[in-house]
Amino acid sequence: MVRAIGALLLIVLPLTAARAQAVSLLVERELLTAHNVARVQVGSPPLVWSDALARVAQDWADRLMRGRRFEHQADDRYGENLFLIAGGTVAPTEVVHTWLAELRDYDHNTNSCHGVCGHYTQVIWRATRAVGCGTAFDGYRQIWVCEYEPPGNIKGQSPY
């Protein structure tokens, strides 16, 4: 009986891993598309997906979840956007659209912000070329992290 259960687990685990990988690619495409649709609207070139940035983002999302914190990395050499939802989950496109909603606080003519708009300006920052994201979920909270290279939001510069 024990051997049968062990054999079943060996069969189930590879199927689970393959499914997780396919979902991961889907999430990656959704995030990248949502970023690039917004970027084309302001004339910024499209971003490419970076697996290296995604690893950094995933590591930070996992650390935030384990530590029950929600804060930017200290001395992060990348641009970084964070998103947190409690009591549910959210689709990747909704995460990016939440950041993009900060457009309402940004005035491109004066390159000024009247509220919160740093997430928006990072998404559409013209000089940024690559993005990678990660997410963590503990059954109650979901944390999203996206890393951008080179970083945006440079004081005194216009995002596009």
Side-chain angles (χ1 to χ4, degrees), residues 3 8 19 31 36-37 40 42 53 62 66 71 80 85 88 115 121 126 130 132 137 139-140 142 152 157:
R3 287 187 190 161
L8 179 61
R19 181 174 161 81
L31 288 163
N36 285 335
V37 165
V40 77
V42 298
L53 290 174
D62 291 339
R66 277 193 310 273
E71 61 194 23
E80 183 174 83
I85 184 171
T121 53
R126 182 185 307 272
F137 182 62
Y140 180 71
Q142 186 180 34
Q157 291 185 18

Side-chain angles (χ1 to χ4, degrees), residues 48-121:
V48 297
W49 186 264
S50 165
D51 289 335
L53 290 174
R55 283 189 294 277
V56 171
Q58 186 61 57
D59 180 60
W60 189 241
D62 291 339
R63 286 179 187 212
L64 289 172
M65 189 61 71
R66 277 193 310 273
R68 308 223 28 97
R69 299 176 312 176
F70 187 69
E71 61 194 23
H72 287 284
Q73 295 184 66
D75 302 320
D76 189 8
R77 66 185 189 142
Y78 307 112
E80 183 174 83
N81 278 349
L82 304 176
F83 180 90
L84 168 71
I85 184 171
T89 60
V90 66
T93 302
E94 293 174 286
V95 172
V96 178
H97 287 175
T98 299
W99 295 330
L100 294 173
E102 294 177 2
L103 167 62
R104 68 182 171 266
D105 292 333
Y106 179 69
D107 182 344
H108 181 66
N109 293 327
T110 61
N111 190 31
S112 61
C113 182
H114 308 286
V116 176
C117 53
H119 301 98
Y120 165 73
T121 53

Side-chain angles (χ1 to χ4, degrees), residues 128-150:
T128 298
R129 297 291 180 245
V131 64
C133 306
T135 186
F137 182 62
D138 68 0
Y140 180 71
R141 295 179 330 135
Q142 186 180 34
I143 295 175
W144 292 82
V145 177
C146 287
E147 301 290 337
Y148 302 85
E149 187 175 47

